Amino acid sequence: MNAPLTSGYNFAYLDEQTKRMIRRAILKAIAIPGYQVPFASREMPMPYGWGTGGVQVTAAVLGADDTLKVIDQGSDDTTNAVSIRKFFEKTAGVATTTVTSEATVIQTRHRIPETPLKEDQILVYQVPIPEPLRFLEPRETETRTMHALEEYGLMHVKLYEDIARHGHIATTYAYPVKVAGRYLMDPSPTPRFDNPKMHQSPALQLFGAGREKRIYAVPPYTDVVSLDFEDHPFEVNKFDKPCALCGAEGVYLDEVILDDRGGRMFVCSDTDHCETRRADGNRGEMSPDSSENRP
Amino acid sequence: MSAALKIGFENPVAQSQAVFRAVMMALARPGTVRRLDVPVDAVPALDPAAAAVALALCDYETPVWLDPALAADLQVQEFLRFHTGAPVTEARALASFAFVPLGGEVPALDDFAQGSLDYPDRSTTLVVAVEALAEGEGWRLTGPGVAGEGRFIARPLPADMLDRLQRNHALFPRGVDLVLTCGDRFAAIPRSTQVDA
Amino acid sequence: MYVAVKGGEAAIDNAHALLAHERRGDPSIPEITPDQIREQLALAVDRVMAEGSLHDRDIAALAIKQARGDLIEAIFLVRAFRTTLPRFGASEPLDTSAMSVRRRISATYKDLPGGQVLGPTFDYTHRLIDFTLAGGAAPPAPATATQGEAAPHVTTLLDDEGLIERNPSAAPDAPVGDLTREPLAFPASRDLRLQNLARGDEGFLLALGYSTQRGYGRTHPFVGEIRFGTVQVGFHAEDLGFCVDLGTISVTECEMVTQFKGSAEAAPHFTRGYGLVFGQSERKAMSMALIDRALRTAEFGEDVVAPAQDEEFVLSHSDNVQATGFVEHLKLPHYVDFQAELGLVRQLRSEFAARQADLDAMRKEAAE
């Protein structure tokens, strides 16, 4: 993909017929929250498993006056986020940003931004395996029937076996949720830390799985409940320390290995959140621009 | 003037996107009234908003059911065929989209495609023109997309419309989704919405 | 001191530049041209066309060059190109009985109308490295023959005796499924299964076909016939009202004659497995025919017990563009999820250690 795309491609790459097909699927997904709508996913000029579903959803949604943010692992600067952002700069010419609050459309892989989302923002998730029951039942014909009959006992059994074996629910990411009291849904491989952000979010959440050919959605202000048990309530991932760069607490942190002698630090996974906080003067214990750490 | 000379969208790529986004947000926020901010050059029998929905979302893959008055209107037929290529069907249960103009009779909602429990998405989106749309008054809406509760009303609608919408919601995840148009304004009530008096 | 990683964009650009450099190799060696690939690596081109689902030798050759000879990467390039092409409709069914045959063999008859035509095949070459090829000597001129008598399908001959199941009669107005336009749903009809297999990975099909021979879903296959050659492609143009000739394409067709069936109502007869691929690839066409038959297991009232008989398993994993993407996506950063798992494993280990300590204390107490 070194050469610039020729002008022969439509706005946002996809042809209009494909966009209409995806748009119709999105409308159905919104009307049936949490249900996975099959769609005729196209072959995209990037590999399956690298965000082709998210990219198709974004391409179908995006307009010339949108401002797009793309993150992977919470960061705007990971290579795949850079690559997808470039793709839309090239094919749609839209404005891009790294600032969560400035974006109208945010495509993400594995994180929900720390900055609370607003009404009329759209969060597009890249989804590898959309079926929350897939690792318990590999057959599509079976899982489809389970959803039809709202038969989710298998998932409860799995979570309960975790507790029996480990004393905890051992699912730390892609933690299953129930949407609007009906469909069991895979939130994509976000850490379960992010699950509460999905509940009653003012933003529209769209999920695209290109290889598996499914689109699903959570409308704004919709109940999203993480599965749990009365004696083992749902808990988010916890960290012992605040961010070493900006001092933020109650955020998701990346562990960074500093040397081969056990040296490590924990920093915000959401790089925009961290930068914004530092620009506002917040400092963590290992911040490079705090006076005691400056070389 | 021939309907084919009605140009529909002047800039189909941008305008289709704008209309889709508005419809998407209308379905995502049931009962909120939105304005179509793109010009549509359409045949008189179709509301600008209804014509915009057809232009933005219909094509050869989406059978369309037309109310008898629209079906008998050659301009409408020609407009849809020329701009969308959508096949017109008389079988409501096969329609992806259905259009009812102002004054048309709204058929029973369960005459249309309801989807199955396995594939509830295989259902009709019903586009009905009304004289008035208002949010903040009328029916009480709750469910996905509604913060707390909302109020919404549209007129005229069949006397038993509330009952029909409740029965439609009771079928969830099956059922139809309703888009109500009024000139260049519109709102939506998807099957997921609980509607009460 | 740690600072958040920046500069992904420059790194990507540099990687692409380096890739282009590596593709070219030693600049003192003449650059390979797509024409050379098309003419001299024709079987690679055939495979890229078949699995790329696009009959275009030049595009396939260019893709092979761009992909540095990585055929799955080339298939991916062709697929991504194909998806942007306008679509005018479906061609008329190919008439392979009217094929201009370059090779045609049957394993079920010693001789038959149309004859056995060996054609260009590796079959009886001794697999000895030919060192004269390194020097680029011109090969001797091949013997040529004019197209002989018509070569009817072997299965047609069996049909005449009622010995093999009849193919379903053609339904020209029935819509043909297309998994590139509609998401695949299960159970899939045979047209969609065949389309899936025709696009499927040669290695995957080969392994599955092989597994049926080794007893994982045995079908007692005989090669009724393999034929390779060119066929006409016709297109019925609605606005013209008649069929226009679009040209010729090369295909390999394999018809397997497989395990016989019979019942109280129907006399015993052989069953069929079918394979058809772009270009010359007997390995792929034969594998496809074996799997097609295996996937018909349920249709014949037999139990689905082997991988090759399992429609969801076969059709969901045959596509190498999907498979390579998802396998290789594991190299994308996953540190957020890994951190979540790290946190849990650390917690479980500390709880384990605490329990062990308690147990040790109890044992010590008991011992005292």
Side-chain angles (χ1 to χ4, degrees), chain A residues 207-265:
Chain A
F207 299 78
R211 191 179 39 75
E212 299 280 338
K213 303 179 170 49
R214 298 288 185 273
I215 287 172
Y216 53 103
V218 176
Y221 305 113
T222 297
D223 288 343
V224 179
V225 178
S226 303
L227 297 195
D228 64 357
F229 300 94
E230 240 167 56
D231 49 345
H232 282 90
F234 172 80
E235 286 177 344
V236 298
N237 323 71
K238 288 199 189 75
F239 295 90
D240 298 335
K241 287 178 162 188
C243 170
L245 294 180
C246 77
E249 297 188 36
V251 296
Y252 197 81
L253 301 177
D254 296 336
E255 179 173 341
V256 181
I257 307 284
L258 297 173
D259 53 44
D260 57 3
R261 300 178 305 277
R264 64 192 71 226
M265 68 191 283

Side-chain angles (χ1 to χ4, degrees), chain B residues 59-121:
Chain B
D59 57 33
Y60 68 90
E61 291 183 337
T62 59
V64 166
W65 179 87
L66 296 174
D67 157 272
L70 292 178
D73 186 329
L74 289 180
Q75 281 195 337
V76 171
Q77 293 260 10
E78 207 180 337
F79 179 80
L80 287 179
R81 193 180 323 118
F82 183 81
H83 287 294
T84 72
V88 173
T89 177
E90 289 183 5
R92 290 171 194 158
L94 296 182
S96 297
F97 290 86
F99 292 88
V100 178
L102 205 56
E105 191 185 326
V106 181
L109 298 184
D110 54 9
D111 273 5
F112 292 99
Q114 308 286 299
S116 62
L117 279 176
D118 277 353
Y119 293 96
D121 55 303

Side-chain angles (χ1 to χ4, degrees), chain C residues 174-237:
Chain C
V176 182
D178 183 349
L179 55 81
T180 69
R181 312 301 287 187
E182 288 281 334
L184 196 59
F186 300 107
S189 52
R190 193 170 174 208
D191 52 344
L192 285 169
R193 295 198 305 250
L194 288 170
Q195 182 189 15
N196 176 288
L197 296 176
R199 291 160 55 91
D201 182 75
E202 182 176 308
F204 179 77
L205 265 58
L206 175 66
L208 276 180
Y210 177 45
S211 72
T212 67
Q213 290 178 284
R214 290 196 64 261
Y216 288 85
R218 200 165 171 220
T219 60
H220 302 272
F222 295 94
V223 171
E225 176 171 359
I226 294 166
R227 52 174 66 197
F228 158 65
T230 53
V231 289
Q232 301 277 342
V233 180
F235 180 72
H236 188 85

Side-chain angles (χ1 to χ4, degrees), chain A residues 67-71 74-78 81-82 85 89 95-107 113-115 117 121 269-276, chain C residues 5-6 9:
Chain A
T67 303
L68 177 69
K69 172 181 166 83
V70 183
I71 51 173
S75 165
D76 300 87
D77 278 296
T78 40
V82 169
R85 185 165 62 240
E89 283 171 354
T96 57
T97 183
T98 59
V99 182
T100 299
S101 57
E102 285 175 6
T104 54
V105 178
I106 302 170
Q107 179 166 331
E114 305 289 2
T115 310
L117 300 179
Q121 281 187 315
S269 132
D270 183 335
T271 51
D272 165 61
H273 186 72
C274 199
E275 280 161 26
T276 307
Chain C
V5 184
K6 287 268 183 194
E9 194 154 350

Side-chain angles (χ1 to χ4, degrees), chain B residues 16-65:
Chain B
S16 296
Q17 186 273 338
V19 171
F20 159 71
R21 269 286 270 279
V23 174
M24 178 177 83
M25 291 318 293
L27 274 162
R29 305 294 315 280
T32 59
V33 178
R34 296 181 183 253
R35 188 174 290 280
L36 189 71
D37 55 2
V38 298
V40 185
D41 182 32
V43 289
L46 286 172
D47 256 0
V53 169
L55 294 175
L57 295 168
C58 296
D59 57 33
Y60 68 90
E61 291 183 337
T62 59
V64 166
W65 179 87

